Amino acid sequence: MVKVTEVLVSPQLLLDTLKTDSSGSIVMHLGIVRPNSNGRKVVSIEYEADIDASERELSNIANEILTKWGIQDITLCRRIGRLHLGDLILMVAVASSHRKEAFEACEYAVECMRSMKSIRKKEIFE
């Protein structure tokens, strides 16, 4: 599953979409809005995106990861709109037979999602 949305998606939903009897590991990362950026106090962050283009970009990331690590499945979710301190920005969940591949694939997915070209970020400072 790949999704770009203004609506909060439950992290439990991501886990539920990946659970199988053959998975030995599910690794998840939740990125949240932090209170500081480059020494300045953040009030909120606005993310803008063309949802179709962003979901295509997420699909490409997911397909690359599925091929490169041979994992069982991956879910990528990216939020857009105005997000406040502590709000979830992105979620990655990776199912694999073994934890090493799951951790590596999850970390790579986060790095790719942070540098998506189809999403624009504007930090709102105090």
Side-chain angles (χ1 to χ4, degrees):
M1 174 176 86
V2 297
K3 188 161 189 72
V4 176
T5 180
E6 289 187 31
V7 179
L8 177 63
V9 175
S10 163
Q12 186 62 50
L13 175 65
L14 269 65
L15 287 174
D16 292 344
T17 64
L18 293 179
K19 286 183 183 175
T20 68
D21 291 339
S22 62
S23 296
S25 179
I26 295 178
V27 172
M28 178 179 251
H29 171 79
L30 306 175
I32 60 173
V33 177
R34 60 180 172 236
N36 296 295
S37 177
N38 298 320
R40 297 175 70 188
K41 185 168 175 142
V42 174
V43 174
S44 61
I45 300 178
E46 290 181 8
Y47 290 98
E48 294 179 351
D50 172 321
I51 292 176
D52 291 335
S54 296
E55 287 185 345
R56 279 192 303 276
E57 191 171 358
L58 284 178
S59 291
N60 291 338
I61 293 167
N63 289 332
E64 177 187 359
I65 289 169
L66 286 165
T67 301
K68 185 173 182 177
W69 276 276
I71 59 172
Q72 294 168 328
D73 205 356
I74 185 167
T75 297
L76 305 174
C77 182
R78 183 68 196 246
R79 301 272 310 278
I80 57 172
R82 181 169 241 174
L83 303 177
H84 301 281
L85 298 180
D87 284 350
L88 291 175
I89 302 169
L90 62 84
M91 295 179 281
V92 176
V94 176
S96 179
S97 299
H98 302 284
R99 71 181 177 275
K100 181 179 183 213
E101 292 82 3
F103 275 106
E104 289 174 359
C106 186
E107 181 177 26
Y108 183 78
V110 171
E111 293 305 319
C112 289
M113 290 175 74
R114 291 190 66 213
S115 61
M116 289 177 67
K117 297 193 183 327
S118 60
I119 296 181
R120 291 160 303 286
K121 171 184 172 180
K122 179 182 177 186
E123 293 176 309
I124 312 300
F125 296 104
E126 188 174 66

